[in-house]
Amino acid sequence: GQQLNQSPQSMFIQEGEDVSMNCTSSSIFNTWLWYKQDPGEGPVLLIALYKAGELTSNGRLTAQFGITRKDSFLNISASIPSDVGIYFCAGRASGTYKYIFGTGTRLKVLA
Amino acid sequence: KAGVTQTPRYLIKTRGQQVTLSCSPISGHRSVSWYQQTPGQGLQFLFEYFSETQRNKGNFPGRFSGRQFSNSRSEMNVSTLELGDSALYLCASMGTDTQYFGPGTRLTVL
């Protein structure tokens, strides 16, 4: 099935560092969602974006809806060990009801 | 508000058997989507139901089927199980624009 390009695929960082990841699409989307998934659990919604250029924060997390409407970015500031997990982006085009998911970014935080 | 619930959480079956998984969406949500997640293939869309009608379908064989009831609860069925069907099956409930996932059902086929 179709998947979005998400990068990086994985990253090791030191506790306290900032993290950036992004998601790109060949199609224009009108909604972007960012999720975090822990092993064996369902993805948990972190941030939802509905407008091009929108910048939304949730604690130490900040996400942006790219102005081209073909990309989105997630930043995590001052990472902590519990940030470990897989982060997924998901996008939905106007007039559709189906979300397309990114391939995921696996984050590992070194204490 | 209660979240998305899925039952059972874990299931072990043997090849050739069939299985039914259940999902109860967030109260008031009428759309339910199902996904298969495996380490190699990531999140793969199975199908989506809205008001008891299948609105979208992914590229899975006919062994995978689903339905939705008038109370928006949904079930998915996999017949003639194969080893490759071992996966985490996730259900997602959608309100206006935002999709929320359940904890998943881990299916192991032996």
Side-chain angles (χ1 to χ4, degrees):
Chain A
Q2 184 185 359
Q3 286 184 308
L4 304 175
N5 293 318
Q6 191 172 341
S7 66
Q9 284 189 355
S10 64
M11 55 196 313
F12 282 87
I13 58 167
Q14 293 284 341
E15 184 177 355
E17 286 186 343
D18 296 345
V19 174
S20 291
M21 59 191 80
N22 68 78
C23 213
T24 58
S25 165
S26 56
S27 309
I28 289 174
F29 287 149
N30 67 342
T31 305
W32 283 97
L33 306 177
W34 284 92
Y35 294 90
K36 177 179 182 254
Q37 186 176 28
D38 292 326
E41 299 294 328
V44 173
L45 182 68
L46 299 172
I47 293 178
L49 302 160
Y50 304 109
K51 204 162 97 170
E54 181 181 355
L55 191 70
T56 298
S57 293
N58 177 5
R60 295 178 295 105
L61 278 61
T62 302
Q64 185 163 25
F65 193 139
I67 57 172
T68 66
R69 297 172 64 194
K70 292 186 177 182
D71 54 10
S72 181
F73 310 88
L74 177 70
N75 294 307
I76 305 172
S77 62
S79 57
I80 59 178
S82 62
D83 290 334
V84 164
I86 303 178
Y87 292 79
F88 288 100
C89 62
R92 186 169 71 93
S94 175
T96 70
Y97 305 104
K98 185 176 144 184
Y99 276 95
I100 309 298
F101 280 80
T103 46
T105 294
R106 185 180 296 272
L107 180 64
K108 299 185 183 181
V109 180
L110 305 173
Chain B
K1 214 183 218 185
V4 181
T5 58
Q6 288 188 247
T7 56
R9 289 294 312 276
Y10 303 93
L11 209 45
I12 298 175
K13 293 283 188 180
T14 55
R15 275 185 303 173
Q17 286 188 308
Q18 75 158 15
V19 67
T20 299
L21 312 181
S22 181
C23 171
S24 291
I26 292 170
S27 176
H29 286 189
R30 292 161 65 191
S31 166
V32 173
S33 296
W34 287 91
Y35 296 84
Q36 182 195 65
Q37 187 176 36
T38 58
Q41 297 295 318
L43 269 162
Q44 299 293 319
F45 174 78
L46 281 154
F47 29 67
E48 184 235 355
Y49 285 85
F50 179 83
S51 292
E52 302 178 67
T53 301
Q54 188 180 86
R55 194 162 62 173
N56 281 291
K57 189 176 186 310
N59 297 323
F60 277 79
R63 300 185 297 107
F64 291 82
S65 63
R67 58 178 176 167
Q68 186 179 34
F69 302 95
S70 58
N71 62 358
S72 294
R73 189 177 71 84
S74 177
E75 287 181 347
M76 70 162 277
N77 184 276
V78 188
S79 62
T80 320
L81 284 165
E82 300 176 0
L83 294 178
D85 296 333
S86 293
L88 183 66
Y89 289 88
L90 292 161
C91 159
S93 150
M94 189 156 76
T96 309
D97 255 322
T98 309
Q99 187 170 244
Y100 299 89
F101 282 91
T105 294
R106 168 73 62 188
L107 171 65
T108 302
V109 182
L110 303 175

